[in-house]
Amino acid sequence: MRALIDTCIVIDALQSREPFFKEAQEIFLGAANKQFEGFLTAKSVTDIYYLTHRCTHSDKETRQILNKLFCLFGLLDTAGMDCRKAVSSNLSDEK
């Protein structure tokens, strides 16, 4: 199974945010134990960098955290055409 991991899940796990820390941690463990393939989007990585850097106040530490995430999760690019295809397919489904 493949899963797209939302930015909030990553931040919940990294910052031990309640009430979802335990569930976020279980998702990380599932990915680490190869129960599924987890992916982050390129856009979420920039958001994760920003939010993590606000807590660490360290570019080096934030980059180390991101590199660990890249070992755990795959990275997906999103192109303009991907957005157009997603919107177009949703419109044709409604007809």
Side-chain angles (χ1 to χ4, degrees):
M1 174 173 56
R2 303 173 99 195
L4 182 62
I5 309 302
D6 185 72
T7 303
C8 292
I9 292 171
V10 175
I11 298 303
D12 287 343
L14 294 178
Q15 297 180 6
S16 302
R17 291 192 318 186
E18 292 296 342
F20 300 111
F21 169 67
K22 183 178 177 187
E23 290 83 357
Q25 188 177 38
E26 289 174 7
I27 291 169
F28 272 53
L29 289 172
N33 291 325
K34 307 292 185 201
Q35 294 174 339
F36 66 91
E37 289 181 89
F39 294 91
L40 303 172
T41 64
K43 168 66 173 119
S44 71
V45 171
T46 60
D47 295 339
I48 293 165
Y49 176 89
Y50 173 77
L51 294 167
T52 303
H53 189 268
R54 284 185 56 183
C55 289
T56 65
H57 303 288
S58 167
D59 181 63
K60 182 179 179 182
E61 187 176 346
T62 302
R63 288 175 184 267
Q64 289 173 340
I65 291 167
L66 286 174
N67 279 318
K68 289 177 185 176
L69 288 174
F70 295 153
C71 291
L72 187 59
F73 301 115
L75 188 59
L76 300 174
D77 292 326
T78 306
M81 187 52 74
D82 296 323
C83 296
R84 290 173 195 256
K85 284 163 82 175
V87 170
S88 296
S89 66
N90 286 339
L91 289 176
S92 63
D93 291 343
E94 292 178 8
K95 290 181 180 179

